[in-house]
Amino acid sequence: MSFSRALLWARLPAGRQAGHRAAICSALRPHFGPFPGVLGQVSVLATASSSASGGSKIPNTSLFVPLTVKPQGPSADGDVGAELTRPLDKNEVKKVLDKFYKRKEIQKLGADYGLDARLFHQAFISFRNYIMQSHSLDVDIHIVLNDICFGAAHADDLFPFFLRHAKQIFPVLDCKDDLRKISDLRIPPNWYPDARAMQRKIIFHSGPTNSGKTYHAIQKYFSAKSGVYCGPLKLLAHEIFEKSNAAGVPCDLVTGEERVTVQPNGKQASHVSCTVEMCSVTTPYEVAVIDEIQMIRDPARGWAWTRALLGLCAEEVHLCGEPAAIDLVMELMYTTGEEVEVRDYKRLTPISVLDHALESLDNLRPGDCIVCFSKNDIYSVSRQIEIRGLESAVIYGSLPPGTKLAQAKKFNDPNDPCKILVATDAIGMGLNLSIRRIIFYSLIKPSINEKGERELEPITTSQALQIAGRAGRFSSRFKEGEVTTMNHEDLSLLKEILKRPVDPIRMKGSIDMRSYREKHAGREASRGRLCWNHFCNFSAVQLAGLHPTAEQIEMFAYHLPDATLSNLIDIFVDFSQVDGQYFVCNMDDFKFSAELIQHIPLSLRVRYVFCTAPINKKQPFVCSSLLQFARQYSRNEPLTFAWLRRYIKWPLLPPKNIKDLMDLEAVHDVLDLYLWLSYRFMDMFPDASLIRDLQKELDGIIQDGVHNITKLIKMSETHKLLNLEGFPSGSQSRLSGTLKSQARRTRGTKALGSKATEPPSPDAGELSLASRLVQQGLLTPDMLKQLEKEWMTQQTEHNKEKTESGTHPKGTRRKKKEPDSD
């Protein structure tokens, strides 16, 4: 039947049209392609079961973002379907589509092709809009709709066209098998053929903090012909780098932001000290040292330890870490055919938990370290120590490494008047400190869950042991360590935590991580919601972390070219399959950066690199800087030293208050980000050496600010008291910060079953605020007197400034206060 004769079909009655339909399709196929109509229905039904996912896990379809398929406009060739049949009655077509949607058989058939109820509904809405809003339809679907409207075909005949449309808006349906193969993360040892080609000797140095386990591993590293040290922190990498060169063993330094070669000709040394993410899995070594191997379970960074453990090409691999990691390491090495030799170490100096709490800062002694878990508590405690005429050093996580080392040196110096340290859990590793007694200001550590909600959880046994172990170190002047709490009611809880055995990091058999997360992530506990970071402390999920590579994401993008990088990551994690000893690391930070720069035109590989840059997403200036750097890169405009100076508004002034100090810390992080990117895109970030000099200068400014932190706190307090109605959102006076901190500790001990204070009486509302706080146990009479004294002092200073403001300009007043602050 020729095409010209086919045109006569439009003039035939409906019944005769159906009779000639097969011949018409044959005539149209060379002009319009395959015709998946009624004749193909049998083959569609026959192949449905073979296309189903079978035994594979059901994907999380909420991650499938539908694409937009625009309705067809008027065609230049006219409406061929209408010419062959007749124009469609839209009202009749709508009835046909509604009948198609309600058919249970169609819904079941859609489920066989991966269209669950959600996807089926979304696909149908898009399909219906496409049909109803198109000026002209493809000839094949036009003919089928016409047949159905005249009773010559069944509504089920629409399914092939519906399925074709569904795969257009959900392209993942057409390549699920390929995506599963790409995201198959089973048998990770096979990813490292160089390591598998050699028979490595694995030595696990097991012991608590201050047991000498790392020392023995490093001695082996020094005596080897070549070696690599992999540490969790830049500070530790720097420490081994300096010790190695001091011992006459030439050693290079490699971190994300820095490369240092010690050979004058620039040739690589035989030894290298690096952060664990930067280790090479292709370079052969005689000895490799992997420090803090228990961090292989870390929800975000565990993949780096897994990669080092499985991939380092070293004759001997020395692991240093907690005994809890032994079982998992042995299971992993069993899959590689390598035996593990375990060497146990005992603590070199005794440590004891005191039977009494500190109770008051008046009871502080030289060598004491107060551990806080929030900056507000750091500021409050530092100020109260300064009021008592004592000097303290301060260390917390967001400080630059140089500032941390300077504060540690100040505290360790026996000739320095600074005898007290106030710190966060940042002292847990990376710093050598001469501490006599660890005092936990609180046992409740705040965190932010995946929804951005603030959560309060007690510290784990592993965290408590890591922090408490800093007291009485072998190399310090205090040969015995002591541990206690600030509040008496926390002491019994601390003893309970320290007595618990650390859960072994192991898991027998396979586990569907997505199902586990869905089952447990929303679970409520009596003391608050369980977040991912928290239930990673349970043995069921304390496994070895894995992470998708850039190559795997590129292969995903080939199949899903219209998906965003964040969506690609979600689908990859959902489709991924892992062995029973592994889990896919939490990639929330990666996704945050991906969404931040999604609108900027970048190649997928460049976008991936930008998203792996380590940033503090709590710092708005750092996040906006990543965005600005990516925008400059997309314009092919190099980020020069002069440009960056203008961007950060250099030169920067010394901090006058805590907010200024935090701003300087954020600028330091931005310079770190520049240096990190400069080693990935040298042509676009060309001035790394100049930026590093600038960063050293900024580090000095921050060190001076931290050295005078109590003065900055005092200035901040004064500013807040003078502007009570002008508080910025989220800010607090020291008074409210102290009270809230104590309230958190009180709530934490109540939640853990400790003896709670009596609730206020019904008429407590009639009492003054101070009386209610004393009654609730949040203030003591002594604290109340101290607060009243400070308030009167500050009011006196405030009135004095107001008196002088009429005769002295603003700058003169500031200058007049300097001698007093000095």
Side-chain angles (χ1 to χ4, degrees):
M1 188 181 202
S2 66
F3 177 69
S4 59
R5 291 182 62 191
L7 296 176
L8 299 175
W9 191 54
R11 298 182 177 88
L12 294 177
R16 294 183 63 190
Q17 289 176 9
H20 291 279
R21 191 167 187 275
I24 298 299
C25 292
S26 299
L28 294 176
R29 188 170 290 111
H31 301 276
F32 299 102
F35 185 79
V38 171
L39 298 178
Q41 185 173 6
V42 175
S43 62
V44 168
L45 294 173
T47 58
S49 59
S50 65
S51 300
S53 58
S56 302
K57 69 176 183 180
I58 300 174
N60 181 5
T61 57
S62 65
L63 302 175
F64 300 172
V65 179
L67 304 179
T68 302
V69 178
K70 295 182 180 179
Q72 292 188 14
S75 174
D77 298 331
D79 192 344
V80 178
E83 293 178 10
L84 291 175
T85 58
R86 62 190 64 195
L88 295 173
D89 184 342
K90 294 291 186 179
N91 291 327
E92 290 297 323
V93 170
K94 186 176 185 302
K95 293 178 182 178
V96 169
L97 293 173
D98 290 343
K99 181 181 178 181
F100 171 83
Y101 176 72
K102 295 176 182 178
R103 292 271 297 164
K104 298 296 183 183
E105 293 83 356
I106 293 298
Q107 295 177 15
K108 184 178 182 303
L109 192 59
D112 290 339
Y113 280 92
L115 291 168
D116 62 7
R118 175 183 171 276
L119 293 188
F120 184 87
H121 177 73
Q122 285 186 296
F124 174 76
I125 295 299
S126 176
F127 181 62
R128 185 179 64 185
N129 291 340
Y130 175 81
I131 296 293
M132 301 300 294
Q133 297 174 15
S134 293
H135 286 79
S136 61
L137 296 170
D138 291 337
V139 64
D140 50 2
I141 191 171
H142 186 108
I143 292 173
V144 172
L145 283 170
N146 183 76
D147 284 357
I148 297 173
C149 289
F150 284 94
H154 195 276
D156 292 358
D157 294 344
L158 284 175
F159 183 78
F161 305 100
F162 167 73
L163 183 61
R164 183 174 67 185
H165 185 88
K167 289 182 177 180
Q168 282 183 284
I169 67 171
F170 295 114
V172 68
L173 296 174
D174 217 15
C175 55
K176 286 192 294 184
D177 292 340
D178 290 334
L179 297 182
R180 284 197 178 96
K181 290 178 182 177
I182 297 169
S183 58
D184 190 342
L185 301 180
R186 292 173 294 186
I187 320 181
N190 290 352
W191 303 349
Y192 308 101
D194 293 342
R196 299 291 78 78
M198 59 192 305
Q199 188 63 32
R200 305 182 304 171
K201 183 178 180 181
I202 312 297
I203 302 171
F204 195 120
H205 300 266
S206 167
T209 303
N210 192 28
S211 60
K213 57 184 184 295
T214 306
Y215 170 81
H216 286 88
I218 293 300
Q219 292 305 309
K220 190 68 177 177
Y221 166 83
F222 288 161
S223 63
K225 296 178 181 178
S226 62
V228 57
Y229 168 83
C230 307
L233 299 172
K234 289 185 287 186
L235 281 174
L236 285 171
H238 271 275
E239 180 183 347
I240 301 302
F241 164 73
E242 293 171 355
K243 284 184 177 180
S244 181
N245 286 293
V249 179
C251 176
D252 292 341
L253 174 69
V254 177
T255 69
E257 300 82 9
E258 192 172 7
R259 310 284 192 278
V260 179
T261 55
V262 295
Q263 300 286 8
N265 56 2
K267 183 180 178 181
Q268 292 185 355
S270 59
H271 289 66
V272 60
S273 177
C274 62
T275 46
V276 66
E277 288 87 351
M278 301 304 297
C279 70
S280 169
V281 292
T282 57
T283 305
Y285 301 102
E286 182 180 344
V287 168
V289 177
I290 306 176
D291 207 356
E292 305 294 350
I293 187 61
Q294 72 276 2
M295 291 189 70
I296 198 170
R297 68 185 173 187
D298 187 85
R301 297 179 64 202
W303 63 270
W305 276 264
T306 303
R307 174 176 172 270
L309 176 61
L310 298 178
L312 281 173
C313 300
E315 298 173 20
E316 289 186 11
V317 180
H318 293 257
L319 312 176
C320 306
E322 298 175 356
I326 294 176
D327 288 344
L328 176 60
V329 169
M330 295 186 75
E331 287 183 19
L332 296 180
M333 295 299 97
Y334 177 80
T335 64
T336 66
E338 296 165 326
E339 294 184 359
V340 180
E341 175 189 342
V342 179
R343 298 178 184 176
D344 292 313
Y345 299 84
K346 302 298 182 183
R347 185 177 168 87
L348 297 174
T349 57
I351 186 171
S352 59
V353 182
L354 301 180
D355 292 326
H356 58 274
L358 187 70
E359 299 288 356
S360 172
L361 296 178
D362 294 329
N363 298 324
L364 287 172
R365 303 192 309 242
D368 280 350
C369 172
I370 304 178
V371 177
C372 307
F373 294 112
S374 75
K375 276 190 177 180
N376 281 343
D377 288 346
I378 288 277
Y379 300 149
S380 173
V381 172
S382 300
R383 182 75 174 98
Q384 292 178 48
I385 290 174
E386 191 261 350
I387 290 173
R388 287 163 171 78
L390 302 175
E391 190 173 340
S392 64
V394 173
I395 296 175
Y396 50 87
S398 60
L399 286 177
T403 305
K404 291 178 185 175
L405 291 172
Q407 289 291 297
K409 182 179 180 181
K410 174 184 176 184
F411 172 71
N412 290 336
D413 187 355
N415 299 321
D416 195 288
C418 172
K419 303 299 181 184
I420 309 296
L421 176 63
V422 183
T424 64
D425 53 347
I427 65 166
M429 60 178 69
L431 292 169
N432 291 318
L433 297 164
S434 186
I435 299 173
R436 178 204 303 268
R437 179 171 58 173
I438 290 285
I439 302 160
F440 285 94
Y441 192 67
S442 167
L443 297 176
I444 307 298
K445 184 174 181 178
S447 63
I448 304 297
N449 68 10
E450 296 178 351
K451 297 180 180 180
E453 300 168 335
R454 185 180 178 88
E455 296 180 327
L456 302 176
E457 292 288 348
I459 59 175
T460 64
T461 300
S462 178
Q463 291 169 335
L465 289 172
Q466 188 77 23
I467 297 170
R470 311 311 288 180
R473 290 183 65 83
F474 181 75
S475 58
S476 73
R477 64 180 184 274
F478 302 115
K479 301 308 178 184
E480 294 186 8
E482 298 174 342
V483 184
T484 187
T485 60
M486 182 68 186
N487 300 306
H488 179 72
E489 56 267 25
D490 289 341
L491 192 55
S492 59
L493 176 60
L494 175 63
K495 291 181 178 180
E496 179 187 340
I497 291 174
L498 292 175
K499 286 180 181 178
R500 295 175 192 159
V502 180
D503 292 328
I505 310 171
R506 59 191 177 97
M507 177 67 191
K508 301 287 187 182
S510 299
I511 183 171
D512 182 344
M513 289 306 300
R514 184 173 65 81
S515 300
Y516 187 89
R517 293 182 193 183
E518 290 177 351
K519 180 179 178 182
H520 293 277
R523 185 172 55 163
E524 297 286 334
S526 60
R527 62 192 180 196
R529 288 190 181 90
L530 292 174
C531 63
W532 172 245
N533 285 350
H534 179 67
F535 66 66
C536 270
N537 292 323
F538 295 106
S539 60
V541 288
Q542 290 182 345
L543 314 173
L546 297 174
H547 191 284
T549 64
E551 291 77 15
Q552 288 170 319
I553 299 303
E554 282 181 334
M555 292 166 65
F556 249 58
Y558 172 80
H559 291 283
L560 305 173
D562 296 311
T564 65
L565 180 54
S566 177
N567 190 227
L568 286 174
I569 292 295
D570 281 334
I571 297 174
F572 184 97
V573 173
D574 183 65
F575 273 64
S576 62
Q577 302 174 72
V578 296
D579 292 328
Q581 295 88 7
Y582 300 93
F583 71 97
V584 180
C585 284
N586 187 314
M587 300 191 66
D588 285 349
D589 289 345
F590 184 99
K591 287 167 52 185
F592 174 84
S593 297
E595 292 165 1
L596 185 67
I597 64 174
Q598 179 56 43
H599 63 286
I600 298 177
L602 297 168
S603 69
L604 182 65
R605 180 59 69 101
V606 170
R607 189 181 302 277
Y608 182 94
V609 173
F610 267 92
C611 293
T612 55
I615 64 169
N616 182 358
K617 62 183 182 182
K618 296 178 183 179
Q619 288 279 9
F621 182 60
V622 178
C623 297
S624 64
S625 298
L626 177 69
L627 183 64
Q628 186 63 36
F629 289 0
R631 185 176 290 117
Q632 288 286 112
Y633 185 100
S634 70
R635 296 171 181 165
N636 200 29
E637 298 176 1
L639 289 87
T640 62
F641 176 67
W643 180 91
L644 192 62
R645 279 174 58 97
R646 291 194 301 271
Y647 177 73
I648 64 174
K649 299 179 181 178
W650 189 268
L652 299 173
L653 299 176
K656 296 183 175 64
N657 50 51
I658 291 298
K659 182 181 180 303
D660 290 349
L661 180 61
M662 294 173 65
D663 290 343
L664 292 178
E665 293 169 6
V667 174
H668 192 280
D669 287 347
V670 169
L671 300 184
D672 259 347
L673 175 62
Y674 182 100
L675 293 172
W676 191 92
L677 290 168
S678 71
Y679 287 104
R680 280 80 182 170
F681 308 110
M682 296 183 182
D683 54 335
M684 297 300 293
F685 297 82
D687 296 330
S689 59
L690 294 174
I691 298 303
R692 182 163 286 107
D693 293 339
L694 194 70
Q695 191 180 48
K696 289 178 181 178
E697 188 175 345
L698 175 60
D699 200 346
I701 298 174
I702 294 175
Q703 286 183 36
D704 292 341
V706 175
H707 181 74
N708 299 310
I709 193 167
T710 54
K711 298 174 184 176
L712 303 185
I713 296 170
K714 185 177 179 181
M715 290 296 295
S716 300
E717 289 175 339
T718 303
H719 180 267
K720 291 176 182 178
L721 291 172
L722 289 173
N723 299 275
L724 291 176
E725 297 180 358
F727 276 172
S729 175
S731 64
Q732 304 171 354
S733 66
R734 180 174 58 84
L735 172 60
S736 62
T738 304
L739 298 181
K740 289 185 179 181
S741 171
Q742 293 185 14
R744 286 198 300 271
R745 294 199 301 276
T746 304
R747 287 198 298 271
T749 52
K750 286 181 181 179
L752 291 164
S754 300
K755 184 176 179 180
T757 57
E758 292 295 325
S761 58
D763 60 343
E766 300 175 4
L767 300 175
S768 67
L769 173 62
S771 301
R772 292 203 305 272
L773 293 174
V774 171
Q775 186 174 3
Q776 294 172 16
L778 301 178
L779 267 182
T780 64
D782 291 340
M783 291 172 62
L784 186 60
K785 291 180 181 178
Q786 182 65 34
L787 289 171
E788 290 173 348
K789 181 179 178 181
E790 292 180 20
W791 171 263
M792 294 301 296
T793 302
Q794 290 163 348
Q795 284 293 97
T796 303
E797 294 178 356
H798 174 41
N799 294 334
K800 183 178 180 181
E801 289 182 2
K802 289 180 64 176
T803 304
E804 296 173 343
S805 61
T807 57
H808 297 281
K810 185 176 180 181
T812 307
R813 288 204 311 278
R814 183 182 293 114
K815 190 171 183 179
K816 185 171 183 177
K817 290 178 66 178
E818 287 177 359
D820 177 62
S821 63
D822 289 338

